Amino acid sequence: SSSLRIVLGDQLSRDLSALDGLDPARDVVLMAEVADEATYVPHHRQKIAFILSAMRHFAAELRAEGITVDYVRLDDPQNTGSFTGEVKRTAARHKPARIIVTEPGEWRVLQAMRGWEGETGLSVDIREDTRFFASRRRFARWAADRRSYRMEFFYREMRRETGILLTPDGEPEGGHWNYDAENRKPLPIGYTLPKRQRFAPDATTREVLDLVARRFPDNFGDLEPFGWAVTRADALAALEDFLAHSLPRFGDYQDAMKRQAPFLHHGLIAPYLNIGLLGPREVCAAAEAEYREGRAPLNAVEGFIRQILGWREYVRGLYWHRMPDYAESNALDAHRPLPWFYWSGETRMNCLSEVIGQTRQHAYSHHIQRLMVTGNFALLAGIDPKQVEEWYLAVYADAFEWVELPNTHGMALFADGGIMASKPYAASGAYIDRMSDFCGSCAYKVKQKSGHEACPFNYLYWAFLIRNERVLKGNPRLAMPYRTLAKWPAERLSAITREAESFLNSLDAS
Ligand code: DLZ
Ligand code: SF4
């Protein structure tokens, strides 16, 4: 009997479980551009264009194979604007015997999917997303009985299970699991960065860019220049470009930041992985081959593979393991509204205006900028986690809730109280100065601790520790700064708190 197969905008993989066993003679694939998905957060315009264009290209590839695709466009007058509405409409049109879909990347969509049997009267087969190394069950088995989940241990199990970067006797390649200590170098002065391959929009992408310009004139973010790959073939070319020119130095300068240099040696493939144009297995295998063939050093390859085999799998496991409660915690009781400059980029703090500017231009900024600049500021300022999370989910082309939420809520904001991170990633201006060239041209002085010219990160850092003393003081990884604080007279502490409050109160909320 016939089945209706559903492919969501972040499920653009030919080996998707929802397409397993598809019979082109009888089955129909539904792909729908729906207003709900474009508006549940105010996405960056490039992110919307990227997803819609990739969806249109993927539909064309399925059709070229002889598969029937019912493709609903955003501006179709019949479009109901929601997944559920489009599933009902398509089911009524084709009268399939059942519906087959792959579990989605967001809790809210899974809730909707669970209502589809009731809505359509058809059986709905929600299949596992087999594109990940670790199933949700596999992660749950690891997480059972643990109070906190440290990525490093999960990652070692993944290495053991997959054999990636192991010696023939099952030991970690090179004798260590982790080479992070080698991966924290600032960029040398005058260093020439590799040029990155970008992809010129074709006719399909042009049409989508016009659509997005018309429908979302006021959303955050530049629409052009648009340089993302929107097909698997181009995503593979982007991967090749990264492996050949950027991977060898990826490790050394993983945490470095530089003005006007948003990409450095980063992979730029998270958007492709997260919508399904590339798979994590092929990406890890390709990176491992670079090491085995002697084209890239171990610290780079291990660092890169850890992001995918370790981090990416771990955050996804944690998301499904802890949702929906995970999103609700607010361990540091943070309630300040998101400052308007997160959207406008208008701030005299140069690090923030650089990173937000890159984000606006490219719907991208690299991990250390997300963690240690925009994330660190939100942490120190005590911004409401929900507002910060909405911003991260909206502005990055790679952001879907399964990956965005744990990274923001747990890693950047410590809002989960330490389920993910063993300490808050709080840092003063000195860290940003060491890892970037942002401070030299800043209106503030990074070495100044107080006064109107002082780098705000400096007093915000101490004010953060003072404000959260009750929750954080017992944390062994914060023993050093709390010992320092204990030596300061009470007037000094209250002066820091006053200075931080008055700075934060001067920021316009969004
Ligand atoms: C993010 C997004 C956007 C902007 N638009 C669509 C769309 O029109 N159709 C679609 O199928 N998916 C879209 N997506 C991706 C979905 O939001 C994503 O599948 C869910 O968040 C589940 O991960
Ligand atoms: Fe950022 Fe402070 Fe450096 Fe300015 S001085 S760029 S605010 S860290």
Side-chain angles (χ1 to χ4, degrees):
S1 58
S2 68
S3 45
L4 177 62
R5 316 270 183 153
I6 295 165
V7 176
L8 305 181
D10 55 353
Q11 299 182 332
L12 309 179
S13 315
R14 188 59 189 86
D15 62 352
L16 190 74
S17 58
L19 298 175
D20 268 3
L22 178 139
D23 177 355
R26 285 199 296 207
D27 296 350
V28 174
V29 172
L30 167 64
M31 297 180 68
E33 301 175 358
V34 293
D36 277 7
E37 295 309 304
T39 56
Y40 71 96
V41 291
H43 301 284
H44 194 298
R45 300 195 301 162
Q46 252 178 68
K47 179 185 182 188
I48 303 177
F50 168 62
I51 293 167
L52 299 191
S53 178
M55 284 177 68
R56 292 182 182 191
H57 282 92
F58 188 74
E61 285 170 18
L62 293 180
R63 282 178 180 149
E65 273 188 59
I67 296 170
T68 307
V69 182
D70 198 334
Y71 193 96
V72 184
R73 290 188 174 222
L74 193 65
D75 47 12
D76 180 337
Q78 312 286 313
N79 193 328
T80 56
S82 74
F83 283 146
T84 301
E86 288 317 287
V87 169
K88 276 170 75 169
R89 219 158 58 85
T90 314
R93 220 166 28 237
H94 296 285
K95 308 208 174 2
R98 58 186 181 141
I99 293 172
I100 300 174
V101 65
T102 296
E103 59 186 347
E106 304 198 343
W107 176 264
R108 89 195 145 79
V109 180
L110 182 61
Q111 294 313 100
M113 262 180 200
R114 287 180 171 149
W116 289 354
E117 290 201 344
E119 295 279 350
T120 61
L122 299 170
S123 85
V124 178
D125 179 4
I126 304 178
R127 295 182 175 174
E128 186 179 319
D129 192 341
T130 52
R131 297 174 299 169
F132 289 87
F133 283 102
S135 67
R136 288 166 58 182
R137 229 173 321 107
R138 174 66 187 88
F139 185 88
R141 180 151 51 86
W142 177 77
D145 311 324
R146 271 171 221 260
R147 271 186 58 247
S148 66
Y149 313 114
R150 296 288 169 258
M151 193 283 291
E152 188 64 30
F153 300 110
F154 174 75
Y155 167 58
R156 290 179 193 177
E157 286 196 14
M158 289 289 105
R159 288 269 297 276
R160 287 216 171 85
E161 241 167 70
T162 57
I164 294 174
L165 287 182
L166 293 191
T167 64
D169 12 304
E171 293 302 314
E173 200 60 48
H176 302 279
W177 292 105
N178 179 319
Y179 296 88
D180 251 4
E182 298 172 33
N183 290 356
R184 298 190 182 116
K185 300 182 187 71
L187 275 180
I189 292 171
Y191 182 84
T192 311
L193 287 161
K195 202 168 153 16
R196 306 308 293 263
Q197 185 175 5
R198 304 297 280 167
F199 301 85
D202 66 1
T204 301
T205 301
R206 284 250 71 92
E207 204 181 339
V208 169
L209 290 170
D210 290 344
L211 171 71
V212 173
R214 241 182 305 116
R215 283 286 292 262
F216 307 98
D218 300 323
N219 279 38
F220 174 80
D222 299 348
L223 199 46
E224 300 197 55
F226 183 95
W228 296 104
V230 290
T231 61
R232 172 161 167 80
D234 280 352
L236 282 167
L239 174 64
E240 285 305 318
D241 174 59
F242 163 70
L243 294 171
H245 303 116
S246 294
L247 177 64
R249 298 273 78 80
F250 169 84
D252 292 352
Y253 306 126
Q254 205 180 112
D255 288 357
M257 301 180 273
K258 187 173 161 58
R259 271 185 290 155
Q260 315 288 319
F263 304 142
L264 300 173
H265 303 86
H266 290 277
L268 298 187
I269 60 164
Y272 310 139
L273 281 167
N274 293 356
I275 69 166
L277 297 182
L278 296 176
R281 291 184 183 86
E282 65 187 346
V283 168
C284 288
E288 181 172 12
E290 294 301 299
Y291 166 69
R292 303 263 178 221
E293 310 284 321
R295 289 190 294 260
L298 187 54
N299 71 308
V301 173
E302 188 282 318
F304 177 74
I305 285 178
R306 176 149 32 90
Q307 300 304 324
I308 295 170
L309 179 63
W311 257 117
R312 185 169 183 272
E313 297 288 324
Y314 164 84
V315 297
R316 189 229 179 204
L318 191 102
Y319 176 81
W320 287 109
H321 192 60
R322 301 293 294 211
M323 278 302 277
D325 301 351
Y326 191 71
E328 301 308 318
S329 55
N330 190 353
L332 299 180
D333 209 19
H335 298 286
R336 199 173 280 281
L338 188 76
W340 177 244
F341 70 69
Y342 272 77
W343 299 109
S344 70
E346 284 165 14
T347 163
R348 293 167 64 229
M349 289 176 279
N350 196 40
C351 50
L352 281 156
S353 83
E354 266 290 331
V355 171
I356 294 164
Q358 294 177 12
T359 300
R360 181 171 44 214
Q361 253 187 310
H362 300 291
Y364 174 85
S365 75
H366 68 73
H367 77 132
I368 213 69
Q369 309 198 133
R370 297 188 200 190
L371 182 66
M372 298 310 290
V373 178
T374 41
N376 184 27
F377 185 86
L379 171 74
L380 299 185
I383 315 248
D384 180 350
K386 293 245 188 243
Q387 294 192 25
V388 183
E389 285 148 24
E390 177 179 284
W391 184 80
Y392 276 89
L393 189 54
V395 303
Y396 293 115
D398 48 75
F400 297 90
E401 199 183 65
W402 66 267
V403 58
E404 172 279 321
L405 186 77
N407 274 306
T408 312
H409 195 81
M411 265 322 261
L413 301 179
F414 205 70
D416 67 0
I419 289 173
M420 255 183 111
S422 53
K423 63 159 194 172
Y425 278 76
S428 67
Y431 175 87
I432 295 173
D433 190 32
R434 185 165 67 249
M435 296 311 295
S436 79
D437 63 356
F438 296 157
C439 299
S441 46
C442 184
Y444 295 103
K445 297 204 162 67
V446 71
K447 298 229 155 51
Q448 215 148 303
K449 308 292 179 220
S450 69
H452 71 280
E453 287 202 313
C455 166
F457 282 85
N458 291 339
Y459 48 78
L460 289 176
Y461 171 78
W462 292 110
F464 166 81
L465 291 174
I466 296 167
R467 187 171 73 241
N468 293 296
E469 179 166 351
R470 201 176 43 78
V471 185
L472 298 179
K473 197 179 177 179
N475 186 316
R477 297 194 64 192
L478 294 174
M480 233 175 24
Y482 276 111
R483 265 201 302 278
T484 303
L485 272 180
K487 289 186 210 136
W488 292 353
E491 310 84 85
R492 184 164 177 190
L493 302 187
S494 52
I496 289 171
T497 300
R498 266 200 315 279
E499 185 156 30
E501 285 298 307
S502 106
F503 173 78
L504 292 172
N505 290 337
S506 75
L507 300 172
D508 288 333
S510 50

